[in-house]
Amino acid sequence: MSDKRVGVYVCHCGHNIAGTVDVEHVAEWAWGLPNVAVSRDCQFMCASLGQDMIEEDIREHGLTHIVVASCSPHMHEKTFRGACERAGLNPYLFEMANIREHASWVHPHDKDGATDKAKALVSAAVHRVLQQQPLEPLQVDIRPETLVVGGGIAGIQAALEIADAGFPVYLVEREPSIGGHMAQFDKTFPTLDCAACILTPKMFDAGAHPNITLLTYSEVEQVDGYVGNFTVRVRRKARHVDESLCTGCGTCWEKCPKKVIDTVFEAGMGYRTAIYRPFPQAVPKYPVIDTENCTYYQTGKCKICEKFCPTEAIRFDMEDEYVDLEVGNIVLATGYDIFDARRIPQYGYGRLANVFTSLEFERLTNAAGPTEGKVVLRDGVTEPRSVAIIHCVGSRDKNTNEYCSAICCMSSLKFDHLVMEKTGAQVYNFYIDMRPIHKGYEEFYHRILDEGTQFIRGRVAEITDAAHSPEEEGKLIVIAEDTLIGRQRRVPVDMVILAAGLEPRADAQGVAHMFGVGCGDSGFFTERHPKLDPVATMTEGVYIAGACQGPKDIPDSVAQGAAAAARILGVIFRKQVALEPIRASIDESRCSGCRICNTMCPYNAISFIEELSVSRVNPALCKGCGTCVAACPSQIITGAHFTFEQIMAEIDGILVDVHTAPPEHTAVEAV
Amino acid sequence: MTRQAYTYYPGCSLQHRSHAYESSNRNVAQALGFDLVEMDDWNCCGATEYFSLNRLPAYALVARNLARAANEGADELVVPCSACFLNLHKTDKQMAQYPDLARSVNQALAAGDLHYTPGTVRVRHLVEVIISDIGFTELATRITRPLYGLKLAAYYGCLIARPDSIFDSTEHPTTMDRLFEVLGAESVPFALKTFCCGGHMAQISAETGFEMIHKIVKNAAENGADAIVTVCPMCQLNLDVYQNSANKLFDTDYQVPILFFTQVLGLALGLKPSDLGIGQEFVDAMPAINKISEVPPPKPKRERRDKQALPMPVMPE
Amino acid sequence: MKTSQDLTFHDRVVALTPGGEALEQCLQCGSCGGSCPAGADMDHTPRGLFAMIRAEMEDEVLRSNTPWYCVSCYACTTRCPQQIPITDIMYTLKQMAIQAGHYDHPHATKFSETFIGFVEQRGRSFEAGLATRYHLYHHPTDMVRLGMMGLNMLRRNRLPLRPKSIREVDQLQAILAEAKAIAAKETYR
Amino acid sequence: MSDKPKLAQYWASSCGGCEIAVLGLHEKILDVAGAFEIVFWPCVMDFKYADVEAMADGAIDVCLFNGAIRNDENAHLAHLLRRKSKVLVAFGACAYGGSMPGLANFTDREAMFDWIYFHSPSTENPGNVRPEMRTTMPEGDLRLPRFWNTVKTLEQIVPVDYFLPGCPPEAGSIEIAINAIVSGQLPPPGSVIGSDTTVCDECPREKLNKKVKRFYRPHEIIPDPNICLLDQGLFCAGIATRAGCNARCPQVDLGCRGCYGPNEGVYDQGAKLIAGIGSMIDADTVEEVEAILDTLPDPAGYFYRFHLPQSLLRRKALGNGKKQPKTEPVAATR
Amino acid sequence: MSQNGTFKPVLVGFLCNWCSYRAADLAGTSRMGYPATLRDIRIMCTGRLDPTFVLRALQQGADGVLVMGCHPGQCHYQEGNYKAIRRFALLKRVLRQMGLEDARVQLHWASAAQGVLFAQTVAQMTEQIKALGPLDWPRHWPDEDPFARIALAMQEDAHE
């Protein structure tokens, strides 16, 4: 151990650390730690001056290990590893002590405590670094194919960007057509252009692109492998229509006698047939048979579609197929679900007929929707003369979802305009705060104000049909405190639109699990860094785009789709990617073959070699979590960079000032 | 499965102004084959009053009951009054949630040689006990006199629906409505089923109280209810005793009798109205009871769906 | 340990309410005021009161009739998107108003005090006594109407004239005395 | 005086099984007798402590010390033999890890005496007799060595050169050790003489993917003779126990007891059993996990059966974990 | 360890890299104060927590050990925290048998967004440990052998 020479650098971070922690004292004290050959304090370690100092000391003082006490390793570990590398030192012989986020910033009123803690953390890092080994990152090749999961606007954008750059893309969509939620909308804020007009060309491009393989009515079932080399199993649900023969002429669905409520595309507001194409602009144009509702599958009779199909494309015996795709990178763009407004029973959705959700209203107002764009009450004929739009339904509410759904203010303003344009009804908006925060949004708000909408600042307490006065009879009464006047108000209206929030897809947890990404508190997929890395995830090679990452509107979804594509293109062009060498390895000469570790690995990186009766780790599959390392009762699995010896040294180091001395001899009573 | 016997906390109201509830509870319990064993030397829960005056004594007052019930070896305490239920339940819950509170309360209890460990006694409302422990299937087999033709408004009041609903929802519970259907009666739509009866408001600010009472009675009457069914002596008192005062204030003449749920349950079990304390109410219940028919009403025809109408949102079962 | 003098009014309200910290999270959305069945009679909506608490308007808050109109229905509490225990805060405000001698709405207090007087004395409430004593002192003009009602109650066997007591009144009184003693020196977190 | 190396063997707090184990070498014991001059072995020959005290320091070439350190006498002999021996071997599980006597570290002296002399169902003690360090009799004072609160391993008292694990050490292991000593080809001091893998390596049972929904005690099921006992829910410490015994216990349907102690490099055998056994639990909620663990009573007893005094924590907390004031003797707490 | 007679506990924390370490970072960037009692060690996942680490920390003088990871269902490695739950439950049982109070060793969850929860957890545990007093584990090995101090010291050296 004597030939090891540790350099310790304690950062002031301006006043950030030095304001609380006695930085000079810590640096002085660190001279006394084992093998410390250099200990200095510095204003800003991350600045070039600080980095240069490390490099010079390595060269001049022959330092073999480096400790920097500054901020979180999530902030600058890479920076300092780079400095070590430039000076010819293996970057894994560097260790960081987090004395800013974990000390100075959280103990501002306890300078002594913060200084003691900083000393303990520095000591821990010094003890640990002495045990660290040089490691080499793992280089893996990147396949050029990309999988995009989800054919909404974010997924379409990502697929097109990559395909246009000349690389193959598989675009998987669970519904019969790509298009996503955007295809359900009529107008888009704030410009009020028609959603179909701007979406359809993109859908067509995606469908016709030579580099894009469209896998609609399909779902990913299994993901194996790692960045550059994923193997993905996709289930292609049986369409029961032979795509090579179908011309999309529409005879089948025109003849189909079975009508069912379309809860997906029409949001429960309209009907479709058992063999159906969700909407006229669908891509691909082929219909599917919904076997749960098709009369033939229920009773064995009917087959009318088959009879009328001019190209004999109907295939009742078609079965689900599986295809295995080899891809280098994955974009998750699985979108969102709309908040189920029944979870706020006081708003009466599902009980009071004329309470609609925003998605229902989108269909109502869509020229291709069930009412051909007429805004009417649930009876299908009556035009409302007064409409209330309730903001923040299932958003900003600890009882449902605590987050802001980001799009409801703007879509409510859009509804205001559409209702007034189509019916001339008086519109009331009940809101907590208005948040029109992007370019052109505030202007749109002003326009709607000009158009004569009433804005009542107050979260709606309840919506009831229990009238208290003649003018309330037969109406829906919206009860809220108008917080601007501090009085309770009862506003009778004909129609209520609930601006329901956005939620993670119901199966988001399962999808996250399958692709190895995390879900935050809200259930949306977690990005690698909320500010600086918003489309990458903790799993190398898996990216996220669109509303699966958090509520967002169309422009943001498109931007994220493109951003994910740009990240992936960068990786594809590099052809190789370096992986952190934090990997487990088994000393096979000492493995007893007890197989405790075999069930531990979530990535199936551990296999049991029967003939040798030992277990083995596939380093490319291992993600370095260390659960097998902890499990091994023989202690012969090594978790690189988080070895037993390193962590034990860190524990001893962190308690350097409280190491319990051998107990003093105490008098013992006579027996 | 129902137990043989439950430790029972009747509460003050059932001892005087709501005898009817007490007698119907006892007789229904007997008919259903379980005992309500009154806990020894219980004291008033303090209603909503004590918490307004002095927080800690209020908790201590309630906790004395919990501690004594625990000392009796009870792991459950069945309460028929919603206010008592809330106070007992809330004290137990908050003592568990806030250790500081539990410490102070137990410090006070120690003056009476008592101690209460939160979570020891599960406080339950009688209606929930009957519905969950016996269950609809079993209840259906016990019905000897179905309440055909009787239209009832299920009035839950606040304190079993909130702050923690003992049923399905804090806003629009439907469990008791299902009970009425099991009894053969019809449950009418009732928007104000969890709207407050006003509590002590009728005493301290009569007009405020009467307005609330009037809203509830009006909504039930307009939906065709023959009677409003409650689970709480306070609700019954307000809606019943002050119904005419409220009528006077609003110049209406609603006459909707207010019954306890054990009274209608008792009727369906074949008990005599007099055994159920019917007759003690201010708004006479007999006209409603006389509406009960021997034969089930004809099934309402399913309305044909209007071709133009839009589908209602699909409700999951 | 801070004493009440060191704390702001806001802090004291929070400290005296189990779960009261949530008060700091008020969004001023008005769900409470909209939900309140007695809201129309309140001089300030609960939301307004919370803003006043934040603004340290102690005097106005404790003189407000709002807490006294609270019917303890918990509608605001369950609907509050920030899960503020509003009903419990109303209890706290009533208690603080009484201690400050600030309330301008003695009916409710006197009703509560009369009610609790019986409970403290006997361990049970006493309806007949409550009605007569409370109205005799505070609403003597109402006695005629009340007398009629009392008679009706009596006729229906709903108004026993003899109060009941619990057996171990001593135990209860000892507990309550101790609780009051603790409450009197209630320390603030 | 012969030129043969001088051998001593001593029996501190232990059952004596280690002594028998040496005899278990059968005819090879004669080789031992032939190779060494036995200078101290109270179990088989008459020696007095004074004989040892009279030796020059370092006069003994090899001392095989078995038994844990339980009282002043054990400690005295440990120091004495250390001083007189060139090579001190902690022989067997008691000297190495504390073993059965070490399980007393789950309690303390007072509680133990109380139980043994007063409360145990098999105790009959009409005179309320209890051992005292000093008893005055007409003939004079009788003295007993002081009985300690805490059992220690030999290494916790004096520096030890080699450790020979096992309860008792297998004849094969003893032979290896003796041969090494005789031939002078000793491993570096401080080594444990034995294998550096675990019992599973020697166990012929077939190992499966370890997931259990409950544990069984040996009387509850008849195990499949070919399948790993742990896979069948029977506790076996083999996964975390140094190999060397040829998996004796698992071979006869009995889960490994763990007597060979932790594997090479392991600080705490119990911790490794917690990790290993804990990893097998097939449940995701705390409630389910607890329900499964309810079927494994006394985990600390199982996991530290042979090595409690040697483990990281070494003994159960005295005084309920509360720190005692420095002035008060620790032994006074119970 | 103690200043002016007040006991300031020393807690060793094992924080998972993805959730609770980031929660601690967030507590820092948001300047949420908490007592300077916790000294944290980063591990990639609570599934990496070797029970030996906890025992070592207690043996080396920690008054308590706080293990924190991602909420169940939110593990970066899918299910490492479930493995932690299982091993931890067993560890707790053993520690209980060793006479250790439950509050000394705790397992909690905090997502990367829960800086507040992280700070609260540290504050709460600090209070609990303060109430229990110092652990000072080696004092539980009353040393009756006057020579043993030397031996122990040598042994400690051997481990370094």
Side-chain angles (χ1 to χ4, degrees), chain A residues 72 102 107 538 600 659-660, chain E residues 25 34 60 76 83 136:
Chain A
S72 169
H102 292 199
H107 314 307
M538 298 292 184
M600 288 293 104
H659 262 310
T660 350
Chain E
D25 278 358
Y34 57 85
Q60 293 292 299
H76 174 64
K83 284 152 196 157
D136 198 7

Side-chain angles (χ1 to χ4, degrees), chain A residues 72-74 77 98 102 106-107 117 509 513 521 538 600 603 625 627 642 652 654 657 659-660 665, chain E residues 17-18 21-22 24-25 33-34 38-40 42 47-48 56 60 73 76-78 83 87 111 136 143:
Chain A
S72 169
H74 290 294
E77 191 171 53
N98 183 349
H102 292 199
V106 284
H107 314 307
K117 182 166 166 180
Q509 288 278 357
H513 207 256
D521 284 347
M538 298 292 184
M600 288 293 104
Y603 307 103
C625 69
T627 186
F642 285 87
D652 293 358
I654 216 164
D657 55 332
H659 262 310
T660 350
H665 179 63
Chain E
N17 180 53
W18 306 99
Y21 193 89
R22 283 160 196 258
D25 278 358
Y34 57 85
L38 184 83
R39 300 165 175 200
D40 55 271
R42 183 165 64 122
R48 173 65 184 98
R56 181 62 162 184
Q60 293 292 299
H76 174 64
Y77 301 106
Q78 303 185 8
K83 284 152 196 157
R87 296 183 194 128
S111 76
D136 198 7
D143 185 7

Side-chain angles (χ1 to χ4, degrees), chain A residues 320-461:
Chain A
D320 292 2
E321 284 172 19
Y322 290 88
V323 288
D324 289 329
L325 309 175
E326 305 279 328
V327 298
N329 291 282
I330 296 173
V331 180
L332 289 180
T334 50
Y336 64 92
D337 275 342
I338 191 152
F339 172 77
D340 180 356
R342 285 178 298 231
R343 284 170 58 198
I344 306 184
Q346 61 266 37
Y347 288 175
Y349 179 69
R351 189 160 45 82
L352 304 172
N354 291 319
V355 178
F356 294 81
T357 64
S358 41
L359 198 57
E360 286 181 327
F361 183 79
E362 291 281 6
R363 294 312 299 153
L364 210 54
T365 181
N366 192 310
T371 59
E372 289 164 348
K374 287 200 291 292
V375 173
V376 288
L377 300 183
R378 195 77 69 168
D379 65 8
V381 286
T382 316
E383 265 196 7
R385 282 183 300 168
S386 49
V387 176
I389 298 176
I390 318 298
H391 294 223
C392 300
V393 176
S395 304
R396 306 182 67 196
D397 180 352
K398 287 184 175 166
N399 302 302
T400 54
N401 295 317
E402 204 176 339
Y403 52 84
C404 168
S405 287
I407 57 128
C408 330
C409 281
M410 286 307 291
S411 60
S412 297
L413 290 173
K414 176 180 80 178
F415 296 163
D416 290 333
H417 174 82
L418 293 174
V419 169
M420 286 186 291
E421 182 184 75
K422 295 196 172 190
T423 67
Q426 175 63 52
V427 186
Y428 303 89
N429 276 261
F430 291 86
Y431 70 101
I432 307 177
D433 300 293
M434 286 304 293
R435 296 177 169 178
I437 47 160
H438 284 337
K439 190 167 94 175
Y441 289 11
E442 182 71 16
E443 294 85 334
F444 188 64
Y445 178 27
H446 295 174
R447 173 177 168 188
I448 302 303
L449 283 167
D450 277 347
E451 288 176 6
T453 314
Q454 281 213 31
F455 284 83
I456 298 171
R457 193 197 171 280
R459 185 173 173 272
V460 170

Side-chain angles (χ1 to χ4, degrees), chain B residues 108-145:
Chain B
L109 286 182
D113 280 332
L114 290 174
H115 181 90
Y116 180 66
T117 311
T120 317
V121 177
R122 180 183 168 206
V123 181
R124 303 179 67 189
H125 194 282
L126 181 65
V127 66
E128 185 264 326
V129 167
I130 289 180
I131 289 176
S132 2
D133 288 13
I134 298 178
F136 290 131
T137 327
E138 174 66 17
L139 275 173
T141 67
R142 306 289 190 97
I143 305 301
T144 57
R145 192 179 163 220

